[in-house]
């Protein structure tokens, strides 16, 4: 599951632009992950310029 | 019945140019902006070429921060190669510039609404027929003959119509920029730091903004963003090289360094600007190219509405004109960008050591490319193609 750290997002939309399944909702100052749609690919975690997004996957799974 | 001929989603430079052109072409036009302000927050280095800008608008001191006549290119070991710009450039106050463009759209007859967050499309028979949006907590919908999506890097409106707008990680730069004060930099010079040591897969920039201020930002390729962390890199850079700089604003943002999307129209829908990936893949610059794309979209939108055909084939002139104006060049620039990405820091140092021996009044972009080509011959063909426009 992708997690959003509270109060740190800059709402720049970079994660939205790379999400392959359109699972991120972003408004003026509000971001949410649509968990039913999310495929846990972690691309959003990688691209975020300020590390607001994180994955709750254990490290060994991430390295597969 | 439709409420409008054209609804433009997004009030950046591309959106405003589209709205202005559509209105001038006789279309009843509305532009929707999701934020409360046009032009803010500014997620942009704010640099433009003077020639490109003048095609659309006469430069006005009101929204020009500085006039640029010199460039400094730094190598990974901080060798500095300086040269003059044949064509001057500007660093803008985007906040005021975007206002001006939106104001012009309004004067041309377009209506504008801020705080309007588009969250869906009205679709009928595989065609876009309007937008659904939220305004101050209220759900609204408006019908239009044609929607122009100028919704920026996120490009969600296209997705709502079933288009594939998602950008690959390798084609997205992850950026962070601080606008700082109390900094002593040459106010006529833009300064680029090249190489993985400064910004892996991208570059770091210093663009002067007048009154001892500057935009200091960087973009790193999406593949490296998690390890390199643009925010930390900028703060580390400032601590080391400009400890007296004071951060007045900081923003992050994505820079799509991709080729323009293969499809930029769908029935009843056009994509333009960042949303269509119209950014130059080498420089990451997208203001002027977005204005080019936006204006073309608005013009063709008005023409298609007049002829009564807003299907993909009825709007075929839009991708055609974009391809001729910039799209073809962008494809070559994309190949150049891939070539540049392969140049190692050692090679960049070697190139800089060679160039620094040339007096700066004898240097030009062409000379630099020639020096790059000596180190990496494959890039020459792509550069030639880009400048020949083939």
């Amino acid at each position: 599951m992708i997690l959003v750290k509270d109060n740190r997002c800059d709402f720049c939309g970079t994660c939205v632009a790379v999400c392959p399944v359109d699972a991120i909702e972003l408004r003026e100052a509000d971001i949410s992950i649509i968990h039913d749609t999310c495929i846990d690919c972690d691309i959003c975690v990688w691209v975020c310029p300020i590390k607001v997004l994180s994955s709750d996957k254990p490290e060994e799974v991430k390295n597969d | 019945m439709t409420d409008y001929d054209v609804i433009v989603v997004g009030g950046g430079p591309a959106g405003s140019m589209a709205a202005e052109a559509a209105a001038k072409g006789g279309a009843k036009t509305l532009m929707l902006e999701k934020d409360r302000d046009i032009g803010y927050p500014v997620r942009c280095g704010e640099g433009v070429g003077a020639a490109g800008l003048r095609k659309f608008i006469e430069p006005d001191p009101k929204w020009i921060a500085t006039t640029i006549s010199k460039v400094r290119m730094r190598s990974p070991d901080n060798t500095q190669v300086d040269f003059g710009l044949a064509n001057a450039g500007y660093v803008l106050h985007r906040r005021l510039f975007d206002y001006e463009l939106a104001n012009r759209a309004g004067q041309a007859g377009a209506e504008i609404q801020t705080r309007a967050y588009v969250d869906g499309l009205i679709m009928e028979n595989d065609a876009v027929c309007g937008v659904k949006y939220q305004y101050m907590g209220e759900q609204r919908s408006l019908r239009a003959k044609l929607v122009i999506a100028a919704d920026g890097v996120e490009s969600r409106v296209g997705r709502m119509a079933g288009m594939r707008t998602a950008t690959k990680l390798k084609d997205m730069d992850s950026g962070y920029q601080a606008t700082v004060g109390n900094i002593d930099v040459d106010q006529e010079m833009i300064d680029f730091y090249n190489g993985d040591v400064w910004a892996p897969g991208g570059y770091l920039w210093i663009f002067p903004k007048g009154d001892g201020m500057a935009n200091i930002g960087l973009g790193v390729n999406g593949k490296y963003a998690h390890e390199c962390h643009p925010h930390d890199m900028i703060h580390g850079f400032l601590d080391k090289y400009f400890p007296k700089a004071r951060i007045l604003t900081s923003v992050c943002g994505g820079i799509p360094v991709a080729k323009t999307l293969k499809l930029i129209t769908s029935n009843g829908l056009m994509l333009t600007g960042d949303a269509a990936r119209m950014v130059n893949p080498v420089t990451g610059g997208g203001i002027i190219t977005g204005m080019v794309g936006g204006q073309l979209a608005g013009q063709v939108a008005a023409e298609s509405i007049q002829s009564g055909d807003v299907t993909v084939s009825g709007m075929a002139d839009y991708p055609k004109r974009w391809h001729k104006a910039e799209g073809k060049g962008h494809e070559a620039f994309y190949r150049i960008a891939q070539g540049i990405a392969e140049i190692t820091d050692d090679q960049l140092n070697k190139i800089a050591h060679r160039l620094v021996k040339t007096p700066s009044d004898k240097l030009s972009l062409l000379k630099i490319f020639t020096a790059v080509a000596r180190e990496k011959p494959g890039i020459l063909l792509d550069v030639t193609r880009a400048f020949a426009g083939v």
Side-chain angles (χ1 to χ4, degrees):
Chain A
M1 196 162 69
I2 303 297
L3 308 169
V4 184
K5 281 179 199 147
D6 288 341
N7 299 326
R8 273 197 26 205
C9 181
D10 199 43
F11 316 107
C12 72
T14 312
C15 53
V16 179
V18 296
C19 176
V21 293
D22 200 17
I24 306 175
E25 282 273 357
L26 182 74
R27 302 199 187 171
E28 189 169 5
D30 182 39
I31 181 172
S32 54
I33 310 290
I34 308 161
H35 291 291
D36 288 348
T37 314
C38 175
I39 54 170
D40 275 314
C41 68
D42 286 0
I43 285 177
C44 56
V45 176
W46 281 90
V47 85
C48 177
I50 51 174
K51 281 188 186 165
V52 162
L53 300 169
S54 60
S55 166
D56 68 350
K57 268 186 246 171
E59 281 301 315
E60 60 268 29
V61 178
K62 247 194 270 180
N63 294 336
D64 273 354
Chain B
M1 263 311 285
T2 53
D3 301 291
Y4 289 92
D5 292 326
V6 176
I7 291 179
V8 179
V9 183
S16 284
M17 290 304 297
E20 184 189 6
K24 276 188 174 163
K28 190 184 180 208
T29 304
L30 169 70
M31 180 167 82
L32 301 173
E33 163 58 44
K34 78 171 159 52
D35 286 343
R36 76 188 161 193
D37 278 319
I38 298 277
Y40 188 80
V42 179
R43 302 191 190 280
C44 183
E46 305 183 283
V48 291
L53 184 74
R54 275 179 201 276
K55 283 182 199 155
F56 299 103
I57 187 165
E58 207 38 51
D60 185 335
K62 217 167 44 191
W63 39 259
I64 289 191
T66 50
T67 303
I68 302 301
S69 58
K70 293 176 281 184
V71 179
R72 175 168 289 163
M73 288 283 187
R74 294 181 199 244
S75 68
D77 66 5
N78 211 357
T79 303
Q80 300 167 18
V81 178
D82 294 356
F83 60 100
L85 271 179
N87 297 303
Y90 300 112
V91 179
L92 305 175
H93 291 300
R94 274 287 302 275
R95 194 173 186 164
L96 301 174
F97 179 71
D98 287 24
Y99 247 67
E100 179 68 29
L101 294 187
N103 191 25
R104 291 203 326 173
Q107 285 165 348
E111 292 173 42
I112 299 169
Q113 197 173 115
T114 58
R115 296 181 188 267
Y117 176 74
V118 172
D119 61 356
L121 293 172
I122 304 171
M123 301 280 298
E124 279 164 21
N125 306 317
D126 198 30
V128 176
C129 304
V131 300
K132 300 171 187 169
Y133 69 104
Q134 291 175 30
Y135 176 74
M136 302 290 280
E138 185 190 321
Q139 192 70 41
R140 296 181 176 182
S141 69
L142 286 170
R143 297 183 68 87
K145 289 175 186 154
L146 177 53
V147 172
I148 299 178
D151 56 328
V153 70
E154 293 143 77
S155 196
R156 287 197 76 206
V157 173
R159 295 201 206 194
M160 291 170 192
M163 298 174 76
R164 298 164 67 96
T165 69
T167 295
K168 291 195 178 103
L169 195 60
K170 72 175 176 67
D171 288 339
M172 181 66 72
D173 281 1
S174 177
Y176 191 85
Q177 176 177 273
T179 302
V180 302
N182 199 35
I183 185 172
D184 183 23
V185 293
D186 187 332
Q187 292 293 322
E188 289 172 25
M189 177 184 272
I190 45 175
D191 198 347
F192 295 97
Y193 293 69
N194 303 284
D196 289 349
V197 63
W198 304 112
Y203 65 85
L204 184 149
W205 64 83
I206 300 181
F207 290 178
K209 283 211 76 180
D211 301 324
M213 292 185 277
N215 287 338
I216 302 187
L218 58 70
V220 307
N221 190 272
K223 288 180 295 188
Y224 314 119
H226 199 52
E227 299 157 58
C228 304
H229 203 202
H231 164 275
D232 290 356
M233 288 194 82
I234 279 294
H235 281 266
F237 177 81
L238 287 175
D239 287 347
K240 190 165 174 193
Y241 296 97
F242 296 100
K244 288 184 181 156
R246 298 292 176 256
I247 297 176
L248 307 175
T249 308
S250 60
V251 287
C252 57
I255 307 144
V257 285
K259 282 188 253 189
T260 306
L261 294 175
K262 277 203 186 81
L263 296 175
I264 56 172
T265 58
S266 170
N267 294 330
L269 180 69
M270 289 172 165
L271 267 49
T272 196
D274 280 16
R277 313 304 180 216
M278 290 177 168
V279 173
N280 181 317
V282 172
T283 63
I287 301 173
I288 302 297
T289 53
M291 290 170 74
V292 171
Q295 189 177 63
L296 291 175
Q299 284 166 348
V300 176
E303 290 163 17
S304 304
I305 281 159
Q306 272 201 339
S307 70
D309 186 356
V310 293
T311 62
V312 169
S313 66
M315 303 186 295
D317 268 357
Y318 171 48
K320 231 184 267 173
R321 288 183 206 171
W322 164 256
H323 191 69
K324 200 173 159 213
E326 300 281 347
K328 225 158 60 168
H330 275 200
E331 282 171 21
F333 278 123
Y334 183 80
R335 285 193 297 269
I336 294 172
Q338 308 309 303
I340 291 173
E342 286 169 21
I343 303 176
T344 64
D345 278 11
D346 278 348
Q347 285 174 312
L348 280 174
N349 286 330
K350 248 198 253 174
I351 294 166
H353 296 162
R354 200 173 294 145
L355 283 168
V356 82
K357 290 179 197 141
T358 314
S360 50
D361 58 337
K362 296 262 162 53
L363 271 179
S364 63
L365 262 187
L366 190 66
K367 274 251 166 65
I368 290 183
F369 272 127
T370 315
V372 172
R374 250 177 84 177
E375 200 59 46
K376 191 159 187 333
I379 214 162
L380 196 60
L381 187 63
D382 292 330
V383 172
T384 314
R385 274 192 189 134
F387 285 100
V390 293

